[in-house]
Amino acid sequence: MSALVLVSPLAGWSTPLEEVPDPVFAGRMLGDGVAIDPLGSTLYAPCEGEVVLLPETRHAITLRTAQGLEVLMHLGIDTVGLGGEGFEALVALGQPVRTGDALIRFDLDLLARRARSVLTPILLVGGEGTLARRVQSCAVTVGDVLMEWTPGSAAADGAAARAGAGGTRGRTVRVALEHGIHARPAAQVVAAIKGLGAEVSLHVGGRQADARSAVALMTLGVRGGGQVEIRAAGPDAAAALDAVEAVLSAAEPATVSSMPSSASATAPASSPRVQLEPLRPGTVLRGVVASRGFAIGRAAVLRVREIALEEAGAGFEHEARELDRAQVLVRAALEQARIGAVEPAAEVIEAHLALLADPHLQSRALHCIGQGKSAGYAWRAAIRESVQALRALDDARMAERADDLTDLERQVLIALAGEQAPSVPALPSGAILIAQELLPSQLVGLDAERLAGICLAAGGATSHVSILAAAAGIPALVALGPTVIEIVEDTALILDAEAGELCVDPGERRVEAARARMTRNAERRARERQAAQRECRMADGTRIDVLANLGSMADAEAAMRNGAEGCGLLRTEFLFLERRQAPSEAEQRDEYQRIARALAGKPLTIRTLDIGGDKPIDYLPLPEEENPALGLRGVRTSLWRVDLLDEQLRAVLAVEPVEQCRILLPMITDVVELRAVRARIVEASRQVGRAAPIELGVMIETPASALIADVLAREADFFSIGTNDLTQYTLAMDRGHPQLAARLDALHPAVLRLIARTAEAAHGRGRRVAVCGGLASDPAAAPILIGLGVRELSCVPAAIPGVKALIGELTLEQCKRRAREALEQESADAVRALSPAPAAATGEPASAGA
Ligand code: PEP
Ligand code: MG
């Protein structure tokens, strides 16, 4: 292949690219070359070629040369925004041109006034060769030699500069790394020569790779024990040889692979996966119980779906910038994950950060963008090209690296698309869903009939997806850690969401024992369920109301089957999760009415919309918030969008019979919020022609509301304690945080003291006090809550028979004693140690249904 000489296409001043006020050009993301500060108004062809790109806006043009090289000329910076004004194309797309032909006439004055800069980058994109010479920091006229490119080396001019004087040195080394040059050592090689003034390459079997590209190094396919020649040129050549040799001849420290799963692009802080081997039969993983129960099933792993991509791009500038933006996001997510990560995970993250910055991937992607493709399409093409090369090596370890690249592909594509999470798959029957994490909207999209259980690598026990699982009677474990994602599709599993264990590929004997346990549980549950139809009284006759938490009509039916004495919390936001727009007033009224009917006259506590935090809703986009859990949530959102609140209030007030419903307000922090809603209820009642008053209660789920419970009790008709949020805000631990999941325990004495204070304030004013958070369904908590003065528990429907059976065995005196002891303990664990969960109150097998 012949060399290529480019002449200056403009008269003006030739400038180094670094001076261009745009990181895309200055960082050589599109290609290498120079920039010209133009004096004339016509752009000429710097070489022979064909016009392969000429956007409608005429602000740039690309020629393809016989050497397969593309020459991109971009007139000014940010000039796409001129929409073609001031530019006139003198050639057409596909037209062959000769050196010196006029290409574009432009209005230099207009550019000077309207563009960010008139500097015009002249770039070489793609092609296997070296930018051997460039003329810069001097005046040029049209036709002066500007650059010279020679074929052969993949390295760019920066490399040539690094090589400089001193000749090339070489050294042959044996690769001691057990698994050859895979992702991590490749990244280590890149890191080892960073900052050294040397051009370094590795050579094996007639193939070579730039040592600054981890991808190129991996695609060499060098195995452990193999020989490789290191070549280095430039002032630091000797140091570079030593550095590379040190990496390649070191023994492999640990067996690690892989990068954070693609889902972690949407949850940056989650840990990377580090497991390589398929899990051994009988492996037991431990997690945090999010929904009690027991199930036998087969793994259905939530794979991330293929992201749809537009092939055509919207121009170089735009697409390159988009790619950069997405990579910055992914890099930030990885860097975030690196904080606090321990080995070997931390090292893996490092390796993948290096992959993200890999010059080979980068230049392939930008080359593809240069051919008119979108950023996503180009990124995918660049990754898949490398993936193919790795897979072609027919080496299992390298194929794993290919999976890593595919993960990285997804992370960037997700960031590009601004996506939040993968969609859900169709499930086989008896499926135990394995996923990194799950959104409430994804869970409701799954076929509950086929779902025997849920196991999440991340998540928290009181996150809303856990609540939904519990409501549906689906056993669930969260915070199982990244290993769970390694479970192979269709593996047999035993999920013990009582003990917090997941047994992988348990073997026939264990499955038999599990089946027998499920049968025993089912029989006990059937007995309890029958008894649960009676009203709940303690052994000494004290009346305790056991109600249900509902999020759907199906929950209402399950609640009635399980002996609920009404509904203590209807999470109205769950009724309308799968929608694109807010439900109308009439739709809401119909839904509330249906649920009221299903409860056959028993009390129905309707909570106003609790949107925000971990319950985003498509049709109510909230402003971008730094910390949504501390932002627009619950009643704050309702008072921000009073139009939605008013509609909801009218819908509730219209339900018949009028005395069946109560209204409950979430996230109250002061009495002013309560008053504001009460005033709107008065107005809404007038509008629907309702004369009867309605009970208005507040949730005690912020420390503030618990601390001023005495003030709130003057105006609220009842209290319902939301222990999920109360715990989150008291302990300052995110309820969805996987690492904190095990510590986020509502039996923490600090939370219990707030409950005690609330109950005392309620009794002082003769107000009812209920608990509707997850603690109400926890058998270990029932005696303590009753002892603290709570007389109403609102539980997940499936837990009601067990809770009622347990309460029937307790006396008030016992409970008061237990409560006093609990308040004095120093930790949640110590409180739990006071009252091991009685067998009677454990959940039922998933297969038995709720
Ligand atoms: C709570 O916070 O305990 C509660 C019941 O409300 P939610 O779980 O819906 O936030
Ligand atoms: Mg809450």
Side-chain angles (χ1 to χ4, degrees):
M1 194 189 293
S2 57
L4 176 70
V5 173
L6 292 107
V7 298
S8 181
L10 288 165
W13 185 265
S14 175
T15 312
L17 274 183
E18 288 80 356
E19 288 177 23
V20 179
D22 184 318
V24 171
F25 296 113
R28 295 182 160 75
M29 288 169 59
L30 289 173
D32 205 357
V34 299
I36 295 179
D37 196 350
L39 290 174
S41 298
T42 306
L43 179 79
Y44 297 90
C47 59
E48 215 170 88
E50 180 193 332
V51 179
V52 290
L53 217 73
L54 183 58
E56 272 174 21
T57 44
R58 310 299 187 225
H59 69 292
I61 186 167
T62 302
L63 307 181
R64 183 172 301 133
T65 73
Q67 291 83 353
L69 208 63
E70 272 151 25
V71 183
L72 162 68
M73 291 160 278
H74 195 282
L75 287 159
I77 302 302
D78 276 357
T79 40
V80 65
L82 293 175
E85 194 186 341
F87 299 104
E88 183 192 352
L90 306 172
V91 287
L93 195 62
Q95 185 178 324
V97 295
R98 282 180 317 204
T99 308
D101 283 355
L103 302 175
I104 295 175
R105 192 168 302 130
F106 57 96
D107 182 341
L108 185 56
D109 285 348
L110 184 96
L111 246 61
R113 275 184 282 116
R114 308 261 301 272
R116 187 137 65 93
S117 162
V118 294
L119 275 179
T120 296
I122 315 293
L123 305 178
L124 297 179
V125 183
E128 294 289 295
T130 305
L131 186 52
R133 182 177 165 209
R134 73 182 100 196
V135 174
Q136 61 187 22
S137 305
C138 61
V140 287
T141 57
V142 176
D144 283 353
V145 171
L146 190 66
M147 290 183 273
E148 194 177 331
W149 177 89
T150 53
S153 162
D157 182 59
R162 277 195 295 269
T168 302
R169 298 160 184 249
R171 189 180 297 174
T172 299
V173 298
R174 203 183 134 269
V175 177
L177 301 153
E178 187 189 342
H179 304 294
I181 305 181
H182 60 88
R184 192 177 37 157
Q188 285 170 337
V189 169
V190 175
I193 56 172
K194 203 170 174 183
L196 290 182
E199 182 50 27
V200 192
S201 52
L202 262 58
H203 301 250
V204 60
R207 287 170 301 125
Q208 69 167 57
D210 177 359
R212 292 182 194 273
S213 164
V215 171
L217 291 175
M218 285 193 290
T219 51
L220 277 180
V222 177
R223 295 171 192 245
Q227 300 243 319
V228 61
E229 187 191 350
I230 314 165
R231 285 188 205 156
D236 294 332
L241 285 180
D242 289 346
V244 176
E245 183 179 359
V247 174
L248 299 185
S249 57
E252 191 106 37
T255 303
V256 292
S257 80
S258 217
M259 60 194 309
S261 72
S262 51
S264 70
T266 54
S270 62
S271 326
R273 43 187 180 92
V274 293
Q275 184 77 28
L276 247 191
E277 310 300 332
L279 294 169
R280 280 206 310 280
T283 300
V284 175
L285 303 178
R286 276 170 231 292
V288 174
V289 176
S291 168
R292 293 175 169 277
F294 194 84
I296 303 171
R298 302 197 84 86
V301 187
L302 179 62
R303 298 280 172 223
V304 194
R305 70 181 156 74
E306 183 90 340
I307 295 174
L309 288 176
E310 283 291 329
E311 181 173 343
F316 265 130
E317 216 171 320
H318 174 76
E319 299 298 335
R321 220 185 295 282
E322 274 296 281
L323 182 60
D324 186 45
R325 180 187 62 77
Q327 290 176 336
V328 165
L329 285 176
V330 174
R331 187 169 305 114
L334 287 168
E335 276 164 358
Q336 178 72 26
R338 181 169 58 178
I339 300 169
V342 289
E343 300 303 348
E347 205 173 346
V348 174
I349 294 171
E350 285 300 341
H352 290 105
L353 279 166
L355 277 183
L356 193 61
D358 192 279
H360 180 78
L361 284 178
Q362 208 61 15
S363 84
R364 297 309 298 158
L366 291 169
H367 176 68
C368 192
I369 288 177
Q371 293 179 323
K373 308 296 185 198
S374 70
Y377 187 93
W379 179 245
R380 175 176 284 176
I383 291 269
R384 294 203 172 168
E385 195 181 274
S386 299
V387 163
Q388 249 178 13
L390 288 172
R391 293 233 159 94
L393 297 174
D394 197 21
D395 174 326
R397 262 196 103 74
M398 288 304 169
E400 277 165 8
R401 300 293 73 68
D403 290 347
D404 290 346
L405 279 170
T406 305
D407 261 359
L408 191 59
E409 170 193 313
R410 276 203 76 74
Q411 293 187 53
V412 172
L413 293 187
I414 286 171
L416 265 174
E419 291 208 7
Q420 291 305 306
S423 62
V424 294
L427 294 175
S429 138
I432 295 185
L433 184 83
I434 309 289
Q436 172 70 22
E437 56 190 350
L438 207 60
L439 286 176
S441 54
Q442 289 178 307
L443 177 54
V444 296
L446 288 166
D447 182 352
E449 292 293 305
R450 296 169 168 267
L451 193 57
I454 297 173
C455 294
L456 302 183
T462 59
S463 69
H464 283 96
V465 77
S466 302
I467 288 167
L468 284 173
I474 301 166
L477 292 183
V478 296
L480 279 150
T483 312
V484 75
I485 301 293
E486 304 294 329
I487 292 175
V488 174
E489 187 76 17
D490 205 35
T491 304
L493 301 171
I494 297 176
L495 168 59
D496 183 349
E498 301 290 345
E501 291 178 354
L502 176 69
C503 184
V504 183
D505 198 1
E508 212 27 58
R509 252 194 32 235
R510 278 206 185 98
V511 169
E512 271 314 305
R515 276 210 193 97
R517 178 174 164 187
M518 284 179 72
T519 311
R520 282 197 307 277
N521 279 354
E523 286 166 0
R524 194 198 66 236
R525 290 281 302 165
R527 282 195 305 276
E528 287 175 356
R529 196 184 274 180
Q530 229 177 1
Q533 296 305 326
R534 294 193 292 271
E535 67 174 20
C536 183
R537 286 197 183 273
M538 301 181 76
D540 58 14
T542 309
R543 179 82 170 92
I544 304 290
D545 291 284
V546 181
L547 291 84
N549 289 350
L550 309 180
S552 68
M553 182 63 189
D555 289 352
E557 286 159 358
M560 292 302 279
R561 283 199 305 275
N562 283 293
E565 299 173 68
C567 162
L569 169 65
L570 173 63
R571 290 183 166 101
T572 53
E573 61 280 1
F574 285 175
L575 289 176
F576 306 107
L577 265 183
E578 277 185 298
R579 298 179 61 107
R580 294 266 156 243
Q581 72 230 15
S584 68
E585 189 177 319
E587 283 173 301
Q588 291 191 60
R589 190 186 52 232
D590 290 352
E591 199 60 20
Y592 304 148
Q593 187 64 65
R594 257 161 37 94
I595 291 174
R597 255 186 231 119
L599 293 178
K602 293 180 174 167
L604 169 56
T605 313
I606 301 183
R607 184 174 72 181
T608 54
L609 280 177
D610 184 15
I611 296 177
D614 69 334
K615 281 180 286 192
I617 294 230
D618 280 353
Y619 54 78
L620 184 56
L622 295 170
E624 191 72 19
E625 290 183 314
E626 183 85 350
N627 194 340
L630 302 181
L632 275 177
R633 257 203 75 180
V635 74
R636 301 171 193 171
T637 315
S638 293
L639 291 173
W640 173 65
R641 283 290 304 268
V642 283
D643 52 328
L644 291 180
L645 174 64
D646 290 344
E647 276 181 6
Q648 185 170 33
L649 292 175
R650 286 194 297 267
V652 176
L653 291 164
V655 174
E656 291 182 329
V658 286
E659 65 282 359
Q660 191 179 355
C661 289
R662 315 155 172 172
I663 293 177
L664 179 60
L665 305 177
M667 288 294 291
I668 288 287
T669 50
D670 64 36
V671 76
V672 177
E673 291 161 330
L674 171 63
R675 283 183 199 143
V677 179
R678 200 183 279 287
R680 302 201 88 86
I681 290 177
V682 170
E683 174 56 18
S685 299
R686 196 192 57 73
Q687 287 170 2
V688 298
R690 174 181 165 133
I694 190 162
E695 276 191 274
L696 179 62
V698 296
M699 291 204 60
I700 302 293
E701 52 181 350
T702 61
S705 60
L707 292 169
I708 58 157
D710 53 338
V711 177
L712 290 168
R714 291 183 209 139
E715 300 187 33
D717 297 317
F718 63 97
F719 287 162
S720 189
I721 303 173
T723 50
N724 306 332
D725 278 315
L726 187 60
T727 310
Q728 149 166 273
Y729 295 120
T730 303
L731 302 186
M733 291 182 190
D734 187 333
R735 61 196 271 186
H737 197 298
Q739 271 85 40
L740 301 176
R743 293 177 55 201
L744 195 86
D745 191 335
L747 283 183
H748 191 293
V751 181
L752 295 180
R753 288 179 187 209
L754 288 173
I755 295 174
R757 186 179 178 119
T758 303
E760 201 183 325
H763 294 152
R765 287 267 166 185
R767 308 295 188 204
R768 237 184 18 256
V769 58
V771 171
C772 66
L775 199 62
S777 308
D778 184 340
I784 298 171
L785 294 175
I786 292 170
L788 290 175
V790 173
R791 292 292 175 270
E792 184 178 309
L793 297 175
S794 192
C795 312
V796 296
I800 291 172
V803 170
K804 279 186 152 183
L806 169 68
I807 292 173
E809 292 168 7
L810 304 169
T811 66
L812 195 53
E813 265 326 298
Q814 284 171 340
C815 292
K816 284 185 177 166
R817 237 187 350 261
R818 177 62 54 81
R820 276 196 300 273
E821 283 172 337
L823 289 175
E824 296 312 315
Q825 299 304 308
E826 56 186 29
S827 67
D829 285 348
V831 174
R832 284 200 179 275
L834 295 174
S835 50
T842 54
E844 74 174 348
S847 56

